[in-house]
């Protein structure tokens, strides 16, 4: 692939990442905090009896380290959005539960993000939006299949 195309791709990815107008939080949460909150909401659907999620499951889902997750969870706990707890059946693992305030924030933010995404897709047009999603899926599949340990050298 031509070097210029690689540079264009990398610059475009950086430009998209820097575009904070699309990702402003109405709830005053950082992007990383919203990502963890989203992961907890998604993962808690598989544990409806407790709605508690293991910290290790959050780390695996988001592909982040335990110290990084712990730091983000500390911020969310300080803001009253999540609570950490230990189940009587498993005292070795840390579990996280979303508070009612956290659920409200998540629903509000999810709706805002869905509306913003819908507007963008409308402006792209249906054909381009479908192509874009298809290419993103392909890109994601390639990322997942790459052996990153070999490419560090």
């Amino acid at each position: 692939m031509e070097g210029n195309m690689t540079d264009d791709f990398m610059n475009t990815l950086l430009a998209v990442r820097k575009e904070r107008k699309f990702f402003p939080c109405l709830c005053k949460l950082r992007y990383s905090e919203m990502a963890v909150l989203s992961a907890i909401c998604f993962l808690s659907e598989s544990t409806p009896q407790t709605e508690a999620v293991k910290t290790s499951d959050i780390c695996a889902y988001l592909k982040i380290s335990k110290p990084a997750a712990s730091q983000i969870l500390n911020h969310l706990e300080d803001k009253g959005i999540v609570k950490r707890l230990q189940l009587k059946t498993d005292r070795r693992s840390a579990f996280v539960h979303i508070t009612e305030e956290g659920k409200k924030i998540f629903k509000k933010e999810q709706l805002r993000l869905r509306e913003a995404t819908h507007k963008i897709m409308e402006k792209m047009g249906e054909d381009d939006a479908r192509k874009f999603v298809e290419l993103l899926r392909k890109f994601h599949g390639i990322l997942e299949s790459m052996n990153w340990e070999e490419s560090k050298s």
Side-chain angles (χ1 to χ4, degrees):
M1 181 175 283
E2 185 178 311
N4 194 24
M5 180 61 79
T6 301
D7 291 343
D8 286 349
F9 180 79
M10 289 173 54
N11 289 334
T12 302
L13 280 181
L14 287 172
V16 169
R17 186 172 176 348
K18 289 179 184 178
E19 189 55 57
R20 295 290 185 196
K21 292 176 192 165
F22 183 66
F23 297 109
C25 280
L26 300 172
C27 52
K28 307 295 184 224
L29 293 181
R30 289 182 249 168
Y31 181 78
S32 59
E33 292 170 340
M34 196 61 206
V36 168
L37 184 59
S38 297
I40 296 167
C41 287
F42 176 77
L43 293 168
S44 68
E45 291 175 3
S46 63
T47 57
Q49 64 280 9
T50 63
E51 292 186 340
V53 176
K54 283 186 178 182
T55 303
S56 59
D57 291 341
I58 296 167
C59 294
Y61 183 77
L62 293 174
K63 298 179 183 176
I64 60 174
S65 67
K66 284 189 179 186
S70 182
Q71 187 176 27
I72 296 166
L73 288 169
N74 286 341
H75 292 291
L76 290 172
E77 196 169 29
D78 289 346
K79 294 175 182 180
I81 293 170
V82 301
K83 285 188 180 182
R84 290 190 196 157
L85 51 108
Q86 288 183 325
L87 299 179
K88 292 179 182 178
T89 57
D90 189 354
R91 294 195 179 270
R92 293 169 296 147
S93 299
F95 288 82
V96 182
H97 178 78
I98 297 179
T99 64
E100 288 304 313
E101 180 65 18
K103 288 177 185 178
K104 286 179 194 173
I105 288 170
F106 178 73
K107 285 180 183 175
K108 185 177 181 181
E109 191 62 14
Q110 188 179 40
L111 179 61
R112 186 204 57 78
L113 194 55
R114 180 179 280 295
E115 288 171 352
T117 302
H118 181 74
K119 285 179 184 177
I120 290 168
M121 295 293 121
E122 276 186 333
K123 288 183 181 222
M124 288 181 82
E126 188 172 340
D127 288 343
D128 284 346
R130 286 188 191 285
K131 287 177 196 171
F132 180 69
V133 170
E134 182 182 324
L135 289 171
L136 274 178
R137 285 184 179 143
K138 183 176 183 176
F139 179 72
H140 181 251
I142 293 167
L143 286 177
E144 283 188 322
S145 70
M146 290 182 75
N147 185 344
W148 292 103
E149 292 303 314
E150 289 178 8
S151 63
K152 286 183 180 178
S153 55

